[in-house]
Amino acid sequence: MWYAIEGYDGEDVLARRAQARPAHLARLHALRDAGRLLVAGPCPAIDAEDPGPAGFSGSIVIAEFDSLADARAWADADPYVDAGVYARVEVRPFRQVLP
């Protein structure tokens, strides 16, 4: 089943985000390579493709896991969590309708 994982950035975390990004992307690449990633990306904090120093308000990942517990465990192990980038993470089931 698909699960939506939403990480919400804390305050002043842009430097920590940049430092943890390679490890964060490696995990996403592993999901993609296994055919389990629908979409992933950050949410700019301002209405701009490149938010510059404004940074990001968080990230969204929609990926396939065997259970909600597995999706939560994967989310809890995210390098952005370990680095203190995310102030909170929400995980919930997702059902793709389109496309």
Side-chain angles (χ1 to χ4, degrees):
M1 180 166 186
W2 295 108
Y3 293 90
I5 300 168
E6 293 183 79
Y8 296 86
D9 283 19
E11 301 265 339
D12 299 318
V13 296
L14 194 55
R16 283 182 271 168
R17 180 183 259 274
Q19 186 174 26
R21 189 170 189 261
H24 172 78
L25 289 178
R27 296 177 80 234
L28 292 171
H29 289 156
L31 283 177
R32 178 201 61 200
D33 294 347
R36 296 174 40 210
L37 182 64
L38 183 63
V39 66
C43 301
I46 60 173
D47 188 13
E49 182 74 23
D50 179 358
F56 302 91
S57 61
S59 303
I60 297 171
V61 174
I62 300 178
E64 187 175 34
F65 294 93
D66 290 335
S67 68
L68 181 58
D70 287 348
R72 283 188 175 137
W74 187 90
D76 288 345
D78 193 297
Y80 283 173
V81 171
D82 292 339
V85 173
Y86 292 154
R88 76 180 200 280
V89 177
E90 294 180 8
V91 181
R92 60 185 185 272
F94 176 81
R95 190 178 72 158
Q96 183 180 5
V97 174
L98 294 170

